[in-house]
Amino acid sequence: MTAPRLTDAGARLSWLVSDAAPSAQRSALGLFGFVAPCAIALALALGDAASRPAVLALALALAAAQIAYLHFGAPGSRGWGFLAVAVPLTLAVTTLAMRTESEVLLPLLFTSVCWSALSLPGQYVVANVAATVAASAVPLAARALGWDPGTAADGIGLVLVSSAGFALVGGVVYRLATALRGAHAGAEAARADSEGARQVSDAVVGALQDA
């Protein structure tokens, strides 16, 4: 497998869910180019990450390597497996660089879950959700090991709630993306059949209602 091949779900989603193999790579580059700089900026502005330069440098190196790989490389099956967990890994390292308010990075993890559910096969979506849950638990684990992770959450409650949210969002978005791909395939097969087209439209509307 050279890249996930996705089915076009219409002009509005063609840049994100399309039959062109580079589409997943293009959307991944957009995701990584958005999440990593946001995380670093938040870590510096709110988390005093500059006081832990070694950890911050590691987070920067991870982000730069991922963006460079997506821009210049052609991910194979192993590459997509790594990219599925790359954003959670980078955010986990970034939280360790912060001395305060590291929980502000948690919402960025949802963008990773949504992207993987829209763009990647099921096994990579599961890997991404698992890595995301692990990343959200890193501050708690770090505190248990004597490292101040800079988070206001002292208990496991935030981790449990976040984990449930990651799993729910991943499942719903993946189901929606699958329904959209199936609907497009069905519309192509039933283009001359108005009843078939109506049934396909009903399936899309049902998927949207579920989401």
Side-chain angles (χ1 to χ4, degrees):
M1 179 177 114
T2 57
R5 293 189 61 81
L6 308 175
T7 302
D8 188 5
R12 293 184 180 181
L13 291 177
S14 62
W15 71 278
L16 197 59
V17 184
S18 73
D19 193 43
S23 63
Q25 187 169 347
R26 188 167 57 249
S27 66
L29 186 58
L31 170 80
F32 284 61
F34 168 75
V35 171
C38 279
I40 299 300
L42 287 170
L44 288 169
L46 301 177
D48 192 24
S51 63
R52 288 174 173 167
V55 183
L56 181 63
L58 176 58
L60 285 167
L62 284 171
Q66 293 154 18
I67 293 173
Y69 178 54
L70 279 165
H71 186 70
F72 297 107
S77 58
R78 290 184 180 180
W80 284 110
F82 167 73
L83 290 170
V85 302
V87 168
L89 174 64
T90 303
L91 290 179
V93 174
T94 306
T95 61
L96 293 178
M98 300 174 70
R99 292 189 180 275
T100 59
E101 301 189 59
S102 63
E103 68 275 8
V104 299
L105 300 187
L106 282 177
L108 290 174
L109 289 168
F110 280 100
T111 62
S112 171
V113 172
C114 288
W115 167 77
S116 68
L118 277 170
S119 304
L120 300 179
Q123 66 270 27
Y124 295 146
V125 178
V126 172
N128 176 267
V129 171
T132 301
V133 170
S136 69
V138 162
L140 196 62
R143 174 172 282 120
L145 295 174
W147 180 276
D148 179 13
T151 179
D154 294 323
I156 199 172
L158 179 61
V159 173
L160 292 177
V161 171
S162 299
S163 299
F166 297 141
L168 177 63
V169 168
V172 168
V173 174
Y174 180 72
R175 183 180 176 187
L176 173 60
T178 301
L180 287 170
R181 294 176 192 130
H184 174 73
E188 288 294 320
R191 180 168 296 184
D193 184 348
S194 60
E195 178 61 22
R198 185 190 65 79
Q199 292 174 354
V200 168
S201 298
D202 289 344
V204 174
V205 171
L208 290 170
Q209 289 174 336
D210 286 345

